[in-house]
Amino acid sequence: MAVISRGFGGRRRESEPNLPPGQYLTEDFPVLSAGPTPRIDTSEWSFGIRDESGALKSWTWDELHALPIEDVHTDIHCVTRWSKLGTNWRGVSLDTLLADIDTSASYAMAHSYGGYTTNIPLDDLLGGQAWIASEFEGEPLDPEHGGPARLIVPHLYFWKSAKWVRGLTLMDEDAPGFWEQNGYNMHGDPWTEERYW
Ligand SMILES: Nc1nc2c(c(=O)[nH]1)N[C@H]1C(S)=C(S)[C@@H](COP(=O)(O)O)O[C@H]1N2
Ligand SMILES: [Mo]
């Protein structure tokens, strides 16, 4: 028995098992950015991972795209309560990028062009849970949505999915990123409503 009602421009299906608590469904793709959209040419783009000893490994756009690209079919959940089910992305798995990096760190800080940061436990970036995505629904990712490439960690609230990502810093100790310093949760699991501290 499906219960469907309309409101706030979104549809709430109480019986939708893929909708985490407190979320409503949207067919739109809202843009949520804390500042202006940076424009980064792929010829100038790079992605780097700095480990806890300070060693840096980085990839140019072409180097990144020479790695295996995966199709990702996933739901996304924003802490402002919209969820979008069944989105399609293409990107390089963080498993691939972290494979050659010898680290005992437990946390990562994602850094974006434009200055945004967000912290994520390393375990949440491994095991087929996170990608550097450059395509959405068969098209290059729009700049407003983080193009040329963004992090996606879709099992966590979407603020962890840093748009215009330029790198990760691996850390032994957890530290808060941009929204986390402003009261958002250090982890952000939508199923247990880890919204704020
Ligand atoms: N660099 C950057 N990444 C970001 C943000 C941002 O402001 N800057 N906002 C976050 C938040 S709060 C959400 S909900 C999603 C929104 O992604 P969208 O604009 O593609 O919907 O991006 C996340 N990543
Ligand atoms: Mo968000």
Side-chain angles (χ1 to χ4, degrees):
M1 186 183 67
V3 179
I4 300 173
S5 64
R6 287 174 187 277
F8 304 106
R11 284 187 293 155
R12 184 171 190 89
R13 283 183 219 147
E14 315 289 350
S15 60
E16 173 54 71
N18 295 321
L19 193 60
Q23 297 293 109
Y24 68 86
L25 289 177
T26 182
E27 303 292 334
D28 305 333
F29 193 2
V31 171
L32 281 108
S33 304
T37 295
R39 305 281 160 168
I40 311 104
D41 199 277
T42 54
S43 63
E44 270 140 47
W45 185 94
S46 72
F47 178 80
I49 300 178
R50 192 175 292 281
D51 72 18
E52 68 276 26
S53 76
L56 177 69
K57 182 159 170 60
S58 70
W59 295 263
T60 64
W61 186 260
D62 290 343
E63 286 166 346
L64 187 90
H65 288 90
L67 298 171
I69 302 228
E70 298 181 4
D71 287 296
V72 183
H73 181 75
T74 189
D75 304 335
I76 55 180
H77 312 289
C78 176
V79 75
T80 63
R81 300 187 181 273
W82 58 265
S83 289
K84 196 169 165 58
L85 304 187
T87 61
N88 294 293
W89 306 78
R90 276 167 65 76
V92 176
S93 172
L94 263 295
D95 294 300
T96 303
L97 296 169
L98 286 161
D100 292 342
I101 293 171
D102 186 22
T103 180
S104 59
S106 301
Y107 302 92
M109 186 71 79
H111 296 265
S112 295
Y113 292 97
Y116 186 84
T117 54
T118 187
N119 56 304
I120 306 142
L122 206 51
D123 280 349
D124 287 274
L125 294 177
L126 294 167
Q129 300 189 95
W131 295 265
I132 303 300
S134 53
E135 284 182 38
F136 177 74
E137 303 298 352
E139 302 284 343
L141 188 59
D142 278 346
E144 287 71 20
H145 288 297
R150 77 183 294 167
L151 178 65
I152 54 167
V153 196
H155 73 289
L156 300 179
Y157 283 123
F158 212 36
W159 88 77
K160 299 288 185 181
S161 293
K163 304 199 280 190
W164 317 294
V165 70
R166 65 176 175 83
L168 298 178
T169 305
L170 306 184
M171 314 182 290
D172 290 324
E173 306 286 334
D174 204 2
F178 175 76
W179 281 119
E180 293 83 4
Q181 288 173 36
N182 289 285
Y184 281 26
N185 197 272
M186 296 293 270
H187 185 227
D189 176 2
W191 292 95
T192 54
E193 292 200 70
E194 293 176 336
R195 295 174 188 274
Y196 311 104
W197 294 38

